[in-house]
């Protein structure tokens, strides 16, 4: 195993050495897969890579240091953001005790919506503006961390219209040029990796579709990854958040390579957070996938398995570093209307008063169909990830990569008692046109797919995802 690991590191270092070279010898350094003619490009490709990640501190009980961190930052008036459920649980109490102990004044905002909307974002933004805070602490899952990022951004840029920073084509996608306040993220779930990224996702109610804000400027100053918090997660929350990690890793590893993207931004500040697969993100994504394969089932089935839940907490952050710089593609792009158009489905173990398809579930339901579709572009990467998930690939051919990975995913999901496709969460074939329509604006991620897709392709992918087993 040690020799194999060294060989892989050497291979990735060679990729890094040549990745920006566009000469015929090195233009396909990402794989030895079947070569397919790239789409004709009329603009210069984006040959540079930029890595950005929050500072991270890890360890059981590390949350107790948050008060000292804020004191060290000179914070005098802190916004503590969470949701109604968590406000009654130990993670929030630990944070408040630390703030009190270190003499840090704070106000609590506990009205974060699970799967936030533009309305819930704006309610939190208004609270932040009125509070005139000089620092923020987000305690919760991706919904809380993303809401806090948005509150910090718009309170720091009070005259901006809400759509100014929202991703195009729904919003204007303006670069963030204002300084933000320090934000400390304390994740309590093992999925989004939001403590490491400059991304905030929400449902845009007018179009009934998910979109978001993506900028390195909004990433947390510090992420405190405390595995003790994961012991408070119900089983289905662990599973669904783990599926988000799974797809973060798979999508970022199979995304269009960063040096094949176009156009090259005219200014570094315009370089997107999601840049395409790259040698640095690859390492984080593959490592996260190995942890998911080894520990997710244990973490779901035994709520007291601190070892498994601790590893999944780290996997969430590792995948966040990977996809936060490489990006995701079709599973996420297609998931946004699945969440946004939910009818009556309410996920088990989620204490909410509204219909909800949890983000991780909405992402993973299309994964077998998506990776069957994308595998022809980078089949060896698809086979590699299938092997990590337990497939025997010794006799597999490159043209079998998609079905092999899809079957591995189906078995993995079946073992974790995942709903049997989109039909099980309330959709029918009659909903496919609306689901496709909701996917089309998600160009920030769909254009990172290694294989371009038409509306007909998307329709076929949704239809193939109606049943999983």
């Amino acid at each position: 195993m040690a020799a194999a690991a060294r060989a892989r590191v050497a291979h990735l270092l060679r990729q890094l050495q040549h990745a920006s070279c566009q000469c015929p010898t090195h233009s396909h350094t990402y794989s030895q897969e079947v070569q397919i003619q790239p789409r004709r490009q009329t603009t210069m490709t984006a040959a540079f890579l930029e890595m950005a990640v929050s500072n991270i501190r890890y360890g059981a009980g590390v949350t107790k240091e948050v008060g000292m961190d804020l004191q060290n930052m000179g914070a005098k008036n802190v916004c503590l953001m969470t949701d109604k459920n968590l406000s009654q649980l130990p993670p929030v109490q630990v944070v408040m005790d630390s703030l009190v102990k270190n003499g840090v004044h704070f106000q609590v905002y506990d009205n974060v919506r699970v799967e936030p909307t533009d309305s819930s974002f704006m309610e939190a933004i208004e609270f932040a503006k009125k509070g005139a805070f000089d620092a923020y602490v987000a305690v919760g899952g991706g919904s809380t961390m993303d809401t806090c990022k948005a509150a910090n951004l718009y309170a720091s840029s009070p005259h901006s219209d809400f759509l100014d920073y929202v991703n195009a084509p729904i919003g204007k996608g303006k670069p963030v040029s204002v300084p933000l306040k320090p934000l400390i993220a304390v994740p309590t779930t093992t999925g989004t990796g939001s403590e490491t990224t400059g991304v905030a996702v929400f449902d845009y109610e007018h179009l009934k579709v998910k979109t978001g804000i993506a900028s390195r400027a909004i990433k947390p100053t510090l992420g405190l990854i405390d595995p003790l918090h994961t012991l408070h997660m119900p089983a289905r929350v662990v599973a669904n958040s783990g599926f988000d990690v799974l797809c973060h890793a798979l999508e970022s590893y199979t995304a269009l390579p960063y040096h094949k993207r176009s156009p090259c931004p005219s200014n570094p500040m315009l370089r997107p957070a999601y840049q395409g697969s790259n040698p640095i993100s690859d390492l984080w994504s593959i490592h996260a996938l190995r942890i998911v394969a080894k520990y997710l089932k244990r973490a779901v089935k035994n709520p007291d398995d601190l070892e498994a839940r601790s590893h999944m907490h780290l996997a969430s952050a590792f995948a966040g570093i990977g996809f936060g710089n490489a990006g995701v593609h079709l599973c996420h792009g297609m998931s946004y209307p699945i969440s946004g158009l939910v009818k009556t489905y309410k996920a088990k173990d989620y204490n909410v008063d509204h219909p909800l398809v949890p983000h991780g579930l909405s992402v993973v339901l299309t994964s077998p169909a998506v990776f069957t579709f994308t595998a022809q572009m980078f089949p060896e990467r698809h086979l590699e990830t299938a092997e990590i998930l337990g497939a025997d690939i010794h006799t597999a051919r490159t043209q079998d990569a998609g079905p092999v990975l899809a079957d591995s995913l189906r078995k993995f999901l079946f073992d974790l008692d995942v709903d049997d496709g989109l039909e099980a969460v309330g959709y029918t074939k009659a909903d496919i046109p609306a689901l496709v329509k909701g996917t089309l604006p998600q160009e920030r991620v769909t254009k990172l797919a290694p294989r371009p897709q038409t509306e007909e392709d998307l329709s076929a992918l949704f239809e193939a995802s109606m049943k999983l087993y």
Side-chain angles (χ1 to χ4, degrees):
M1 290 297 294
R6 287 195 296 271
R8 173 161 182 78
V9 170
H11 173 63
L12 289 167
L13 288 173
R14 287 194 296 272
Q15 288 181 333
L16 181 60
Q17 180 180 357
H18 297 302
S20 64
C21 180
Q22 302 298 306
C23 74
T25 302
H26 298 139
S27 61
H28 297 289
T29 54
Y30 268 77
S31 66
Q32 301 298 318
E33 296 93 338
V34 177
Q35 299 301 327
I36 295 177
Q37 287 296 320
R39 289 169 287 176
R40 180 174 295 178
Q41 296 176 338
T42 58
T43 52
M44 181 179 176
T45 55
F48 304 118
L49 165 67
E50 181 171 335
M51 292 296 293
V53 64
S54 307
N55 291 330
I56 295 296
R57 191 181 303 146
Y58 172 80
V62 71
T63 306
K64 294 178 181 179
E65 295 187 346
V66 67
M68 288 184 284
D69 286 315
L70 290 163
Q71 189 181 68
N72 293 340
M73 293 173 182
K76 304 295 183 184
N77 184 29
V78 173
C79 174
L80 170 55
M81 200 162 282
T82 190
D83 64 46
K84 294 272 190 233
N85 294 325
L86 269 169
S87 66
Q88 307 301 316
L89 294 176
V92 171
Q93 189 62 53
V94 171
V95 170
M96 291 194 295
D97 288 347
S98 182
L99 298 181
V100 171
K101 180 180 179 180
N102 289 278
V104 178
H105 177 266
F106 66 96
Q107 296 182 52
V108 176
Y109 180 84
D110 65 358
N111 206 32
V112 168
R113 188 181 193 271
V114 177
E115 302 297 337
T117 65
D118 51 327
S119 297
S120 71
F121 264 19
M122 287 189 276
E123 184 179 332
I125 290 165
E126 189 60 28
F127 181 87
K129 287 180 176 178
K130 289 180 179 178
F133 300 108
D134 58 9
Y136 294 82
V137 179
V139 186
S143 296
T144 296
M145 290 183 279
D146 288 3
T147 300
C148 199
K149 291 174 187 177
N152 188 10
L153 171 60
Y154 289 96
S156 301
S157 185
H159 302 298
S160 295
D161 181 76
F162 181 72
L163 289 178
D164 281 351
Y165 297 120
V166 174
N167 299 323
I170 292 173
K172 299 176 184 177
K174 291 183 177 180
V176 177
S177 57
V178 297
L180 273 63
K181 307 300 184 185
L183 191 164
I184 298 177
V186 184
T188 59
T189 61
T190 55
T192 67
S194 188
E195 68 275 9
T196 71
T197 73
V199 179
V201 177
F202 65 93
D203 284 310
Y204 188 53
E205 295 171 295
H206 177 66
L207 297 178
K208 294 186 177 180
V209 70
K210 261 188 168 54
T211 183
I213 302 162
S215 169
R216 295 176 186 85
I218 69 171
K219 71 180 187 300
T221 310
L222 173 65
L224 297 178
I225 302 176
D226 189 336
L228 295 179
H229 299 329
T230 66
L231 297 177
H232 304 285
M233 296 170 61
R236 295 322 299 173
V237 177
V238 175
N240 290 327
S241 57
F243 298 146
D244 201 19
V245 181
L246 171 67
C247 289
H248 284 159
L250 287 171
E251 290 173 71
S252 57
Y253 193 63
T254 58
L256 187 73
Y258 81 96
H259 62 279
K260 293 185 180 295
R261 290 200 63 195
S262 70
C264 185
S266 58
N267 188 299
M269 76 178 299
L270 300 176
R271 182 166 287 116
Y274 288 0
Q275 301 162 90
S277 62
N278 61 80
I280 303 174
S281 286
D282 285 350
L283 293 169
W284 294 101
S285 299
I286 283 294
H287 189 49
L289 185 62
R290 293 186 189 281
I291 296 174
V292 171
K294 184 175 181 179
Y295 288 106
L296 179 56
K297 292 179 185 179
R298 280 177 50 183
V300 172
K301 295 177 179 180
N302 184 356
D304 298 320
D305 191 337
L306 181 60
E307 179 188 17
R309 292 198 170 192
S310 297
H311 277 89
M312 283 303 303
H313 214 25
L314 279 175
S316 176
F318 293 165
I321 297 170
F323 92 86
N325 292 281
V328 288
H329 55 79
L330 283 178
C331 293
H332 272 75
M334 295 171 66
S335 79
Y336 297 148
I338 294 171
S339 293
L341 296 172
V342 60
K343 300 173 184 178
T344 60
Y345 182 83
K346 287 189 177 181
K348 181 183 177 182
D349 286 347
Y350 287 78
N351 184 18
V352 294
D353 59 1
H354 53 273
L356 173 70
V357 179
H359 174 64
L361 179 60
S362 71
V363 169
V364 85
L365 288 176
T366 63
S367 61
V370 163
F371 293 110
T372 300
F373 175 78
T374 59
Q376 66 174 256
M377 300 303 292
F378 299 110
E380 292 191 358
R381 287 195 167 216
H382 287 68
L383 285 174
E384 180 184 1
T385 55
E387 184 176 33
I388 292 171
L389 292 173
D392 182 355
I393 66 167
H394 291 95
T395 60
R397 302 170 300 174
T398 55
Q399 56 264 44
D400 298 327
V404 170
L405 178 52
D407 286 346
S408 300
L409 285 165
R410 288 190 189 95
K411 183 180 185 305
F412 195 80
L413 300 182
F414 184 81
D415 289 346
L416 285 168
D417 197 27
V418 174
D419 301 82
D420 188 9
L422 296 179
E423 286 186 0
V425 298
Y427 291 102
T428 69
K429 291 182 181 179
D431 296 309
I432 289 176
L435 292 168
V436 171
K437 182 180 178 182
T439 303
L440 294 176
Q442 311 301 334
E443 294 181 355
R444 179 180 66 93
V445 293
T446 58
K447 285 192 173 181
L448 282 171
R451 180 180 174 186
Q453 64 284 162
T454 64
E455 290 186 38
E456 290 74 21
D457 291 329
L458 292 172
S459 294
L461 291 173
F462 278 116
E463 184 170 357
S465 302
M466 286 293 163
K467 299 282 286 186
L468 283 180
Y469 312 120

